Amino acid sequence: MRGIFTPITKIRRQVFTEIARFAYERPLVSRDFSVLDEAPYRIIPGEVPQYRESVFKERAIVRERLRLAMGLPMRPASEHQPFTRDMETACSANYQIREPLVQVIPFACESCPTDRFQVTDNCRRCLAHPCSIVCPVKAITIEKSGAVINQDLCIKCGRCVEACPYHAIIRFGRPCAEACGANAIDSDELGRAVINQDNCVACGLCMVSCPFAAISDKSEILQIVSAIREGRPVYAEIAPSFVGQFGPLAKPGQILAGILALGFRDVVEVGLGADLGSLHEADIFLERVPEKQRFLGTSCCPSWEDFARKTAPDLDACIASAHTPMVATAIHIKQQDPQARVVFIGPCVAKKREALEPDVQPYVDYVLTFEELMGMFSAHSIELTDMDELPFTDSASRDGRGYAVAGGVADAIRHTIERRHPGHAVPVMKADSLQDCRKMLLLARAGKADGHLLEGMACPGGCIGGPGTLSQINRSGKAVQAFSEKSPYRDATENPRIAASSDEAPH
Amino acid sequence: MNSLFSVRNMKVIKIEVCAGTHCTMLGSSDIMDAIAGLNDEGQLLCPDCQLEIVPIPCTGDCDHGRLSPIVRINGEQLNQADSATVMARIMTMAGNDGRKG
């Protein structure tokens, strides 16, 4: 449930905290997982079920969530496998999570009916019954109980909804499928939701939309903490949407100090990579649009990029192929310290998938969401408001920090172009949901986007609306803006750190 | 003498919400958003009621998160608070608890 703290949010965060605590406190050479055996009883205490029909089922679901949060696959419900299977393997900095990353926990899914029209008890069985009169396929009959829709006949035109004076007919579907802009929710033989991994672009919105908490993704908390405890130099690169995520009193410099207190070697703003990306994409736009390519689609949202390639392969060449800010920042870190292990910290689930791509893997070692990071703060009892504020060594520009909010990426690239070529017009098209991205691609295919800069984002509101966030979009937007205004540089062209490293930047 | 701008009879309800790590993780920011909404929607509270919402640093009372989130309403502490409980308490204090007559 986006923007509302529910028991689901609580359980998800408790799971992250349990795994983080285990990761920090486990003896490094031990096969004792009893702490995790007990975790479901801490999260679901007592004998009375709180959320489902049985406390045993509640705990069974928590067990699978714990495994996923350790980066492990779920266990099949139809055959015996110990809860602790492969846990020892996962307790290593070198363990790599595998796709699928976003999954339905089958026995947690309540098999909600798929998209349908239904008559509610608002129906008065009225004399006029306009619902049945306007139906073009005679799917509505008036029975003793009131209007009844024959689901086999219904073509979902919605005329009955409009016609009913009592608002008695509603359309509803699976919240997961409604959140999914990529048509990736199918059903299994038992009517439960299952994710079509060919269509899925790992945006993670189904996960935070399921009211039964039946969808989860894999986490790398355990592997990151293992790397830290094994003494490796672990660096964090933090996405610009981080400000305001950890409570209204935690200042950016305190969040930085908190991350260092977790054992990270240093923290770099991803906004720095965003500045590099702005320069690079501005160059492509100036060189190629519209003569050599019809338009330019931005590249920083991996779900949008993935979605565009799958939905409109014919337009593939028009999406920027630059390394994303995440990768550019990781390269910057590894140039300074070749031994570095780089953790991207952001609001994003899709970045977990991007990090597994063969050309990204050498640079980005792990991905963490803000929610997962909060679990680590909690497990380590780090009180951010008690920390001394630390400065960021290399600041990103105002525009680089603005990447976090829908519209910010296009603005940054446009400003860069205008700074270099004053008066050069840059028409922009924007979409911040995959549903709208699909429409934008249709317009592009029809030639309506020629000469444009296209900003695509999967999450409503941009990255601050991502599934791994803790803060409401409005509040985050204000916090990001305030932090952006504090940057000493307006845009990428003013950032001296970028001028120095843009020659080495990957193209 | 009461003037139009008099605040003498204002009924201030002070709500302190812990913004420490455990309490934030367990939803204290969401409680703040929920009650801020009561203020915005004007009609919900009595006309001379005023909500003062203050995020406070970790109180140390949460027993490492076991009692989080911590909320204090006019000094009275609520443990394991949630939006629904806090809002109901405020509505009662503001004379609009949903019960008619």
Side-chain angles (χ1 to χ4, degrees):
Chain A
M1 303 293 90
R2 313 260 42 216
I4 302 174
F5 188 88
T6 67
I8 291 168
T9 328
K10 187 176 172 187
I11 291 178
R12 190 168 62 231
R13 293 180 189 171
Q14 283 177 314
V15 165
F16 294 148
T17 307
E18 285 287 347
I19 296 303
R21 191 176 297 125
F22 167 75
Y24 275 108
E25 293 175 3
R26 74 184 170 94
L28 278 176
V29 282
S30 156
R31 293 175 189 181
D32 181 8
F33 300 108
S34 53
V35 175
L36 293 174
D37 274 328
E38 292 154 15
Y41 294 85
R42 280 190 291 272
I43 295 173
I44 311 283
E47 287 189 76
V48 182
Q50 290 179 58
Y51 313 115
R52 297 177 191 264
E53 64 275 21
S54 138
V55 77
F56 302 105
K57 184 171 177 184
E58 288 177 354
R59 289 194 191 117
I61 295 167
V62 167
R63 273 185 205 104
E64 297 314 310
R65 300 183 74 88
L66 286 164
R67 284 183 58 88
L68 290 168
M70 296 173 86
L72 287 165
M74 286 187 293
R75 295 169 299 162
S78 54
E79 62 184 76
H80 173 71
Q81 267 188 27
F83 168 57
T84 52
R85 170 176 276 198
D86 293 330
M87 280 192 182
E88 203 182 341
T89 326
C91 290
S92 153
N94 292 327
Y95 175 81
Q96 194 153 57
I97 58 166
R98 286 194 203 100
E99 292 197 64
L101 298 183
V102 183
Q103 283 167 288
V104 179
I105 303 171
F107 63 96
C109 177
E110 292 284 325
S111 309
C112 305
T114 50
D115 184 31
R116 65 192 277 150
F117 285 81
Q118 188 153 314
V119 182
T120 67
D121 60 5
N122 260 15
C123 176
R124 308 277 303 158
R125 198 177 182 275
C126 66
L127 206 59
H129 52 75
C131 54
S132 72
I133 294 171
V134 298
C135 177
V137 291
K138 288 207 164 175
I140 302 185
T141 49
I142 309 300
E143 312 281 341
K144 263 192 176 155
S145 57
V148 172
I149 301 174
N150 181 335
Q151 298 295 336
D152 295 333
L153 295 178
C154 176
I155 54 166
K156 301 183 174 102
C157 67
R159 285 175 153 206
C160 55
V161 176
E162 301 291 319
C164 175
Y166 297 106
H167 310 290
I169 303 177
I170 52 158
R171 178 181 203 163
F172 77 104
R174 298 181 156 177
C176 54
E178 286 181 2
C180 178
N183 290 335
I185 307 284
D186 292 344
S187 294
D188 69 8
E189 67 286 0
L190 296 177
R192 302 174 299 193
V194 62
I195 295 177
N196 176 332
Q197 297 293 339
D198 292 333
N199 288 357
C200 176
V201 292
C203 69
L205 291 178
C206 57
M207 194 171 89
V208 287
S209 301
C210 173
F212 283 99
I215 307 179
S216 185
D217 67 338
K218 290 179 183 149
S219 302
E220 297 181 289
I221 300 171
L222 180 58
Q223 293 75 34
I224 293 165
V225 176
S226 297
I228 290 171
R229 292 186 65 198
E230 285 167 20
R232 299 172 199 265
V234 181
Y235 291 71
E237 49 161 312
I238 193 157
S241 45
F242 79 98
V243 270
Q245 289 296 328
F246 304 94
L249 299 180
K251 301 192 179 83
Q254 291 176 316
I255 298 169
L256 168 58
I259 297 173
L260 296 182
L262 288 173
F264 286 83
R265 188 68 58 93
D266 198 6
V267 184
V268 181
E269 279 185 72
V270 176
L272 200 69
D275 280 342
L276 277 168
S278 302
L279 285 183
H280 181 58
E281 293 187 11
D283 282 345
I284 299 180
F285 189 87
L286 286 167
E287 270 171 42
R288 303 186 58 90
V289 177
E291 293 82 11
K292 292 184 195 143
Q293 71 182 57
R294 288 159 58 190
F295 61 89
L296 176 68
T298 57
S299 68
C300 56
C301 171
S303 285
W304 142 253
E305 199 191 345
D306 206 4
F307 180 75
R309 289 190 206 290
K310 283 175 177 169
T311 317
D314 50 315
L315 300 173
D316 190 15
C318 297
I319 312 290
S321 59
H323 278 308
T324 58
M326 170 175 86
V327 179
T329 310
I331 290 172
H332 169 82
I333 295 169
K334 290 202 170 174
Q335 278 165 352
Q336 320 282 319
D337 182 353
Q339 298 304 313
R341 292 262 173 146
V342 175
V343 184
F344 172 86
I345 304 176
C348 190
V349 169
K351 288 286 181 196
K352 294 183 181 183
R353 177 131 111 187
E354 186 190 336
L356 297 181
E357 285 170 15
D359 56 335
V360 176
Q361 230 172 25
Y363 307 113
V364 181
D365 298 279
Y366 314 100
V367 172
L368 203 59
T369 66
F370 296 138
E371 241 185 353
E372 291 160 352
L373 178 64
M374 196 59 168
M376 291 169 70
F377 286 146
S378 170
H380 222 265
S381 282
I382 288 175
E383 204 48 68
L384 294 174
T385 51
D386 288 347
M387 309 298 283
D388 289 326
E389 276 186 77
L390 295 174
F392 283 91
T393 22
D394 297 323
S395 283
S397 74
R398 185 193 64 187
D399 279 3
R401 288 174 178 174
Y403 264 54
V405 184
V409 181
D411 281 349
I413 299 170
R414 190 165 50 82
H415 291 162
T416 307
I417 294 170
E418 284 166 358
R419 286 297 285 277
R420 290 188 168 171
H421 296 269
H424 191 108
V426 186
V428 169
M429 270 180 155
K430 290 181 272 199
D432 62 344
S433 70
L434 289 180
Q435 288 83 348
D436 286 350
C437 286
R438 187 187 297 277
K439 290 178 199 152
M440 189 163 75
L441 287 167
L442 287 175
L443 288 173
R445 188 177 281 149
K448 300 270 166 58
D450 287 1
H452 281 64
L453 177 63
L454 266 56
E455 182 196 279
M457 299 253 183
C459 294
C463 303
I464 51 170
T469 54
L470 294 105
S471 167
Q472 283 209 351
I473 293 184
N474 296 347
R475 204 149 25 83
S476 309
K478 284 177 198 151
V480 166
Q481 198 186 353
F483 185 57
S484 303
E485 300 296 339
K486 280 195 189 134
S487 170
Y489 324 114
R490 271 184 300 173
D491 53 42
T493 60
E494 288 185 0
N495 192 338
R497 202 61 213 116
I498 298 308
S501 63
S502 62
D503 298 336
E504 316 149 18
H507 285 241
Chain B
M1 197 183 83
N2 275 341
S3 83
L4 189 60
F5 302 103
S6 168
V7 288
R8 216 182 304 162
N9 298 323
M10 271 295 195
K11 186 173 173 185
V12 176
I13 305 174
K14 184 175 183 181
I15 302 127
E16 293 163 292
V17 183
C18 178
T21 295
H22 297 297
C23 290
T24 299
M25 193 183 83
L26 294 175
S28 68
S29 299
D30 304 81
I31 296 176
M32 263 185 276
D33 290 334
I35 52 185
L38 294 182
N39 239 356
D40 299 343
E41 286 157 35
Q43 303 296 319
L44 290 176
L45 301 172
C46 60
D48 43 3
C49 285
Q50 202 183 333
L51 293 188
E52 194 190 335
I53 305 164
V54 191
I56 54 171
C58 179
T59 59
D61 293 345
C62 66
D63 188 20
H64 304 286
R66 277 179 278 275
L67 300 178
S68 291
I70 303 268
V71 174
R72 289 177 185 154
I73 303 177
N74 284 348
E76 183 204 344
Q77 184 160 316
L78 290 181
N79 297 332
Q80 294 186 325
D82 56 43
S83 324
T85 314
V86 175
M87 285 193 293
R89 192 70 66 96
I90 293 168
M91 294 300 275
T92 307
M93 292 170 95
N96 182 7
D97 60 2
R99 267 164 262 169
K100 294 198 178 103

